[in-house]
Amino acid sequence: MPATHHLTTPLSKDDIRKLRIGDLAFISGTVYAARDAAHKRMIEALDRGDPLPFDPRGQIVYYVGPTPAKPGKPIGSAGPTTSGRMDAYTPRLLQLGLAGMIGKGNRSRAVMDAIRDNVCVYFAATGGAAALISRCIKSYVVLAWPELGPEALAAMEVENFPVTVVADCYGGDQYEEGAKPYRRV
Amino acid sequence: MREISAELIRDTVARLAVEACCRLPESTLNAMRRARERELSPTGRDVLGQLIRNADIAAAENAPICQDTGLAVVFAEIGQDVHITGGLFEDAVNQGVARGYTEGYLRKSSVEEPLFERKNTGDNTPAVIHTRLVAGDRIRLRLAPKGAGSENKGALHMLVPADGLEGVKKAVLETVRHAGASPCPPMVVGVGIGGNMELACLCAKKACARDVESRNPDPRYARLEDELLELVNGLGTGPAGLGGSVTAFKVNVEFCATHIACLPVAVNINCNAARHAEAVL
Ligand code: SF4
């Protein structure tokens, strides 16, 4: 039976070691919203020797490009986007101390290895559950590159954001293991 | 000749865009409920529960079901006896999309050119418009927004007649297997068989925009829909790809005439946010 965890960011290595694929987790605290364009800019900043707009140590990046916020709301609908597009950038961030990511879908071998080697974690949020997830997001503050619109780098305060552990620091892959008991073809 | 104004077309498209993005069709919602009863994996049932709650919240708040409100795909059937007044049909559709996506707080995900600048057009135009001339004096508009997570996992297989039914099944199964969790399962799989390259793809798109409760009127193809669903659900991908017995709600098949030496099979995958809205003018 999968375990349930309540996690608050930043995550410690001890927090991460308790997580196993298939476990449910409810995340609270700050998570950083970034997708394709913001990742490209982060890596360009590192290549120039500049610091990142936030200290990645122990933090979680959420791959999301929300719909526009309606008046009076911090954010619009905000479900996960496909993580694989960020694969090229992810190992470098994990080496700098990033604790993990929230997204959806398979990762490359290089990312899976970096998750294991750096004691990190990859969570899946439910793709398509964007209005539900939006209710867990209490604030949304753009930190850098506002010209990227919904792709800007932002800090979000979240409360009990429901996710599933899909890659743990022991090399486990829920997308591979989860299907096995139900596979007939 | 019956006159229909471009203005009415524009206003209708704007309304359909918001309705499609914020209100999951009752049939898709029912498919989710049935899937939750049938799903063997506890994690899968939890995911389906989240999706059902999500659809309820979206409907209550008039909020987008999913943040990827997609490209606006419009199927238009225009009666031959209609005269459109006050503007061009395609302009009216695009104006409607621009208005619906802007006033409805939907995401603008269209870039004007694919390779160099990829600059966002800012209003989600242009729509992808498929027009057919039909008998009568009415216009039927069906708007089916389509996100990238599922669209990127479609495929075209140019089979030959000798590949036959088994070849078709294999092509569908491999496409869905390869898609994994990216198209946000449970999905609706659209399969287009026959025609030529572009017609097979169009059939597949029509199939995946079809209602989950619809069946192909030809009993042989209706049976194929059932068989393909059984196969796809044997992959074990499950809700959100986390493992489970419901990978697809439905497989819809459309077919058309083809060349004596061709057997094209196109697969277009729709995600759990299988959205569409329709109006007849
Ligand atoms: S595949 Fe569908 S449900 Fe998933 S993120 Fe894209 S539009 Fe949303």
Side-chain angles (χ1 to χ4, degrees):
Chain A
M1 212 36 207
T4 301
H5 309 265
H6 289 266
L7 300 170
T8 303
T9 61
L11 302 186
S12 69
K13 295 291 178 202
D14 278 345
D15 290 333
I16 295 172
R17 287 196 185 93
K18 292 191 186 110
L19 305 172
R20 295 286 196 287
I21 54 167
D23 287 358
L24 298 177
F26 292 91
I27 298 174
S28 298
T30 306
V31 303
Y32 294 88
R35 50 179 286 161
D36 313 54
H39 273 79
K40 188 157 177 266
R41 300 239 182 147
M42 283 196 278
I43 298 299
E44 284 166 2
L46 292 172
D47 285 344
R48 283 194 307 271
D50 292 342
L52 293 178
F54 68 100
D55 181 353
R57 284 172 297 177
Q59 301 297 348
I60 293 175
V61 165
Y62 179 28
Y63 303 138
V64 62
T67 58
K70 287 188 179 171
K73 301 257 179 174
I75 198 168
S77 295
T81 192
T82 302
S83 309
R85 294 195 315 273
M86 270 54 78
D87 280 354
Y89 312 113
T90 298
R92 184 118 176 238
L93 298 176
L94 295 177
Q95 281 151 19
L96 287 174
L98 187 74
M101 297 75 61
I102 306 170
K104 66 167 168 115
N106 300 82
R107 307 306 304 257
S108 67
R109 188 71 259 156
V111 171
M112 296 298 282
D113 290 348
I115 289 170
R116 187 195 56 214
D117 297 347
N118 297 286
V119 191
C120 301
V121 59
Y122 170 41
F123 300 103
T126 299
L132 177 82
I133 291 169
S134 170
R135 286 199 166 177
C136 308
I137 301 170
K138 302 302 166 188
S139 70
Y140 179 87
V141 179
V142 173
L143 292 185
W145 312 307
E147 66 280 11
L148 296 178
E151 293 211 49
L153 179 75
M156 307 189 324
E157 290 303 314
V158 300
E159 240 174 67
N160 292 319
F161 182 165
V163 294
T164 304
V165 178
V166 280
D168 60 25
C169 63
Y170 306 98
D173 179 355
Q174 176 67 16
Y175 290 125
E176 186 50 39
E177 295 306 317
K180 280 182 185 167
Y182 305 99
R183 193 175 289 156
R184 291 180 278 115
V185 287
Chain B
M1 270 298 167
R2 182 165 161 261
E3 293 197 341
I4 296 180
S5 69
E7 203 180 327
L8 179 64
I9 295 169
R10 180 196 66 199
D11 295 351
T12 305
V13 169
R15 175 174 61 78
L16 291 179
V18 178
E19 189 184 316
C21 288
C22 301
R23 254 175 209 283
L24 203 60
E26 197 52 35
S27 50
T28 309
L29 201 50
N30 281 335
M32 278 179 184
R33 295 194 185 106
R34 283 196 304 272
R36 188 173 49 172
E37 282 162 24
R38 206 167 73 237
E39 176 56 61
L40 300 174
S41 145
T43 309
R45 283 198 297 275
D46 185 63
V47 166
L48 286 159
Q50 285 186 31
L51 293 174
I52 292 164
R53 249 185 305 143
N54 182 66
D56 290 344
I57 293 171
E61 298 184 358
N62 214 23
I65 301 159
C66 182
Q67 78 289 339
D68 189 349
T69 48
L71 287 182
V73 181
V74 177
F75 289 98
E77 289 179 2
I78 304 180
Q80 289 215 100
D81 300 328
V82 171
H83 177 213
I84 296 167
T85 59
L88 296 176
F89 174 73
E90 292 203 352
D91 290 351
V93 170
N94 280 317
Q95 286 159 8
V97 166
R99 181 192 288 183
Y101 274 73
T102 305
E103 293 178 0
Y105 294 90
L106 309 178
R107 203 179 79 186
K108 288 78 176 171
S109 314
S110 176
V111 298
E112 61 191 24
E113 159 278 314
L115 208 47
F116 298 102
E117 298 282 325
R118 293 189 64 87
K119 192 170 169 296
N120 198 303
T121 62
D123 60 7
N124 218 49
T125 64
V128 180
I129 306 174
H130 303 295
T131 309
R132 223 159 63 87
L133 273 185
V134 299
D137 61 0
R138 304 197 152 250
I139 296 180
R140 180 186 293 268
L141 294 167
R142 185 174 179 81
L143 198 147
K146 189 73 162 50
S150 54
E151 189 67 12
N152 280 347
K153 295 299 174 185
L156 173 67
H157 307 266
M158 297 305 289
L159 304 186
V160 294
D163 292 322
L165 187 58
E166 285 315 304
V168 171
K169 288 183 181 171
K170 194 164 156 245
V172 173
L173 197 60
E174 285 318 308
T175 306
V176 178
R177 187 200 305 275
H178 179 251
S182 295
C184 296
M187 47 187 115
V188 176
V189 183
V191 182
I193 308 174
N196 55 3
M197 264 179 83
E198 75 270 17
L199 196 50
C201 290
L202 188 57
C203 276
K205 175 67 89 195
K206 264 190 205 151
C208 88
R210 232 174 67 195
D211 206 84
V212 289
E213 280 169 3
S214 66
R215 285 171 71 74
N216 191 299
D218 183 316
R220 296 167 300 173
Y221 286 85
R223 205 174 321 121
L224 179 60
E225 292 180 342
D226 295 342
E227 286 171 17
L228 286 171
L229 181 63
E230 183 63 24
L231 278 175
V232 163
N233 281 337
L235 285 170
T237 308
L242 300 174
S245 44
V246 184
T247 298
F249 297 130
K250 180 78 190 349
V251 178
N252 288 335
V253 177
E254 292 283 310
F255 68 92
C256 54
T258 188
H259 187 279
I260 47 174
C262 292
L263 179 52
V265 182
V267 184
N268 195 297
I269 298 176
N270 208 346
C271 46
N272 67 62
R275 303 159 279 188
H276 47 77
E278 197 175 280
V280 179
L281 305 179

